[in-house]
Amino acid sequence: MKKIAPSLLSSNFSNLEKDIKMLEEGGADLLHIDVMDGHFVPNITIGPVVVEAIKEVASIPLDVHLMISDPDYYVDAFIDAGADYLTIHAEATPHVHRIVQKIKARGVKAGVSLNPHTPISVLGNILQDIDLVLIMSVNPGFGGQSFIPHSLEKIKQLKKMLIDNNAEHVEIEVDGGIKLENIKIVSDAGCDIFVSGSGIFKAENPKEMIAEMKLAIR
Ligand code: DX5
Ligand code: ZN
């Protein structure tokens, strides 16, 4: 089933609970949480204590996207905080395989994310170990950027790679610049999980926007 994962990066941080309830009522499937360290990306957002607070009020799974250097030091903290999906960046560590094993051993879904310039070939020897690939369709760090058109080709190539390698259990997630206007074309390329921050929160009616997005990818 295709899933909508609203990004809390565009929410009202002074009243997260209100926005989380609104997203859940609107039919969101996952809550996408962007963790940034001011080192791997030029922005700083939230840490495990905030994820823990979100977990207390959320009733849908937490999709935690680590945009941090040396993620091996922090995966346990984010799992303890309540991550249901935990995604690291391939560019952030030389030890993707080891960290993926660590995440899986704790019973959490493991994802690997690729920046726009990183080819899908880096996933060749890890496909059987992961649950998710997150294709960045903007450069990570900020909400509200435009979808990089070349990402569509990358999603199609990844879909083919999963089929060719008998790894269709791996979900394809796309993050950055997803709006109602382009969600169908991203879906047709092979995306399973759609992250959208400004596309949902800047809509006149965010709840209706989630419903419209779900209709478009059905
Ligand atoms: C960007 C983050 C995204 C961001 C998406 O680095 O990973 O999750 O919140 O925001 P939009 O949908 O506004 O591009
Ligand atoms: Zn993200």
Side-chain angles (χ1 to χ4, degrees):
M1 198 198 63
K2 302 220 176 205
K3 299 170 189 151
I4 299 286
S7 167
L8 290 180
L9 189 59
S10 291
S11 66
N12 177 356
F13 275 58
S14 67
N15 201 340
L16 279 171
E17 184 171 11
K18 182 162 167 259
D19 277 352
I20 290 167
K21 293 291 163 225
M22 178 275 288
L23 295 169
E24 290 179 347
E25 282 167 20
D29 299 289
L30 303 170
L31 290 175
H32 185 81
I33 301 176
D34 289 301
V35 176
M36 306 185 187
D37 66 351
H39 186 257
F40 181 69
V41 288
N43 196 4
I44 301 177
T45 55
I46 68 178
V49 287
V50 179
V51 175
E52 203 176 336
I54 291 170
K55 188 71 178 179
E56 278 172 27
V57 297
S59 50
I60 57 176
L62 306 188
D63 172 33
V64 178
H65 176 193
L66 296 184
M67 284 161 277
I68 63 175
S69 304
D70 301 320
D72 30 346
Y73 296 137
Y74 296 99
V75 295
D76 278 323
F78 284 99
I79 293 171
D80 291 343
D84 296 280
Y85 284 77
L86 191 57
T87 296
I88 60 162
H89 265 263
E91 306 85 0
T93 171
H95 295 297
V96 171
H97 185 270
R98 180 196 293 155
I99 303 171
V100 163
Q101 300 307 318
K102 194 166 166 181
I103 297 170
K104 301 282 295 175
R106 297 216 40 202
V108 168
K109 285 189 188 285
V112 176
S113 183
L114 305 180
N115 279 339
H117 78 281
T118 305
I120 59 165
S121 55
V122 302
L123 300 168
N125 292 310
I126 192 108
L127 285 183
Q128 304 305 332
D129 300 283
I130 58 180
D131 300 292
L132 173 102
V133 175
L134 195 171
I135 298 286
M136 286 307 302
S137 43
V138 296
N139 283 294
F142 302 94
Q145 304 179 79
S146 301
F147 186 88
I148 298 172
H150 171 71
S151 315
L152 280 180
E153 193 47 43
K154 199 165 168 183
I155 300 162
K156 287 181 195 164
Q157 286 172 7
L158 174 60
K159 183 76 188 171
K160 183 173 182 311
M161 188 186 196
L162 296 180
I163 294 169
D164 292 348
N165 287 277
N166 256 330
E168 284 173 273
H169 64 281
V170 177
E171 292 180 285
I172 300 178
E173 180 171 31
V174 181
D175 185 3
I178 295 193
K179 315 256 184 248
L180 185 58
E181 297 75 58
N182 61 10
I183 199 165
K184 168 118 177 49
I185 187 165
V186 176
S187 178
D188 290 345
C191 179
D192 303 298
I193 304 178
F194 305 80
V195 178
S196 181
S198 51
I200 290 173
F201 281 96
K202 284 209 180 337
E204 218 168 284
N205 185 331
K207 276 199 222 177
E208 268 172 30
M209 178 52 72
I210 296 172
E212 283 182 58
M213 285 180 163
K214 292 193 107 162
L215 212 58
I217 58 174
R218 237 190 4 194

